[in-house]
Amino acid sequence: MMSRTWRSLAAGFALAMATPFVAACDSGEAGTQPTTATAQPITVEVNQSRDQYGKQAIQIQLTNTTDMPLTVTSARLHSPLFEGDISWQPSAGSLELPPRQPKSLPADLPTASCGRSEGGSLELEATVGYAAPGKDPVEENTSASDPFGILHRNADELCIAAEAAAVATIVLDPRLEVAADGRTAVVRLIITPGTDAQSLTIEAIDETTLLAQSPAAPWPRNVLLGTAKQELPLTIRPARCDPHAVAEDKVGTLLPLRIKVGERQGLLKIAAPDELRGRIYDFVTTSCAS
């Protein structure tokens, strides 16, 4: 009796264990077609390299989710943050996207939609033209992701730069005045008022990966634009002296100003002209070696 009972229990247990697997297989077979039909062969994501920072350019990152190479002929993003599409076109006519691998494609940003309503949708859409081996080219629409908020940040910066440019021209003087001991130097921020009557205030100036302010001469804060041309002397020192500071620099000579123009607040990046950038690199190299 015990043996018969045990065999019955064992058989029941085996059947119970087998049933979920059978159900799973049935469910998988039934669900395979819809999954395949909705799976996107190419996923799209927004990124930005250090080289592109401050240059109104981004990367459209495409990832091939299939097991075969795909030939990409075009890629563009549509965002309500910009007035036109953000487009990439291959210089050679097409680009091979290897299976299960991503590739980043550079694209310039168009004019930002600065008058856009804040209540509108920010959904990001992509259109990718591609062809699978042995098949005709197709163009498919899909959603895209921007996990780091790159488009929103760039749109904000473009808008505040446009508003600031209407109020004043702000540049860095190509001259660099190096102190006698070589440990600090002075760059000059030159502000020339324009015709727009809006107020402009430089609330703060951020340090960069290469340049820091001197504790003995901190950078000015809350500078209100006047009606006459202004020059702001900024005493700088190296922010870092590791061997790669200059060799790998991408944005160290891009000076970030936190400004307020009218009712808009944001970051305005002032790039050092080529002549000044070279002098800053020489200064940092010499100062760090002393």
Side-chain angles (χ1 to χ4, degrees):
M1 176 65 72
M2 289 291 291
S3 177
R4 188 179 301 112
T5 302
W6 170 251
R7 284 197 297 271
S8 298
L9 289 171
F13 180 73
L15 178 61
M17 289 296 292
T19 301
F21 288 95
V22 173
C25 290
D26 289 343
S27 176
E29 290 173 0
T32 298
Q33 187 61 36
T35 301
T36 303
T38 58
Q40 295 294 335
I42 297 176
T43 60
V44 185
E45 184 176 295
V46 175
N47 212 325
Q48 188 174 48
S49 69
R50 290 173 63 194
D51 284 338
Q52 295 172 317
Y53 186 73
K55 296 181 180 179
Q56 290 79 56
I58 62 161
Q59 293 177 349
I60 302 175
Q61 183 173 289
L62 305 182
T63 300
N64 181 355
T65 66
T66 74
D67 294 320
M68 65 184 73
L70 300 175
T71 301
V72 179
T73 54
S74 65
R76 62 182 183 272
L77 300 173
H78 176 72
S79 167
L81 293 170
F82 296 90
E83 293 184 0
D85 286 345
I86 305 165
S87 300
W88 168 85
Q89 292 290 340
S91 56
S94 64
L95 170 80
E96 183 175 291
L97 198 59
R100 306 293 173 183
Q101 290 188 32
K103 278 197 175 182
S104 295
L105 315 176
D108 292 331
L109 293 173
T111 302
S113 297
C114 300
R116 178 187 59 84
S117 171
E118 293 297 328
S121 171
L122 293 181
E123 183 177 355
L124 180 61
E125 300 175 347
T127 302
V128 182
Y130 71 96
K135 296 186 177 181
D136 292 334
V138 296
E139 193 171 72
E140 290 188 352
N141 297 323
T142 183
S143 60
S145 64
D146 183 7
F148 308 109
I150 289 168
L151 293 183
H152 203 291
R153 185 186 72 234
N154 278 266
D156 284 348
E157 291 177 2
L158 285 170
C159 289
I160 199 163
E163 287 199 26
V167 178
T169 301
I170 305 176
V171 298
L172 282 166
D173 193 303
R175 296 171 296 167
L176 182 69
E177 302 168 14
V178 181
D181 62 6
R183 296 186 179 278
T184 62
V186 173
V187 296
R188 295 183 181 277
L189 197 64
I190 301 175
I191 308 169
T192 305
T195 57
D196 195 306
Q198 283 193 96
S199 63
L200 188 153
T201 300
I202 300 176
E203 298 181 319
I205 303 173
D206 289 353
E207 296 180 340
T208 75
T209 55
L210 193 65
L211 304 176
Q213 58 188 320
S214 168
W219 294 342
R221 300 176 66 89
N222 297 318
V223 178
L224 179 63
L225 174 70
T227 56
K229 184 176 180 178
Q230 295 171 265
E231 289 191 11
L232 299 182
L234 309 176
T235 302
I236 61 173
R237 62 179 176 84
R240 48 187 286 209
C241 280
D242 58 275
H244 307 292
V246 171
E248 298 181 358
D249 178 66
K250 304 296 182 185
V251 296
T253 59
L254 199 62
L255 195 65
L257 309 183
R258 298 200 174 273
I259 68 171
K260 182 176 181 181
V261 185
E263 297 303 315
R264 187 189 292 272
Q265 288 178 290
L267 201 63
L268 177 66
K269 302 186 186 78
I270 307 298
D274 291 344
E275 188 177 357
L276 176 60
R277 184 166 62 250
R279 289 170 175 168
I280 289 174
Y281 287 156
D282 290 342
F283 158 70
V284 171
T285 301
T286 302
S287 180
C288 287
S290 61

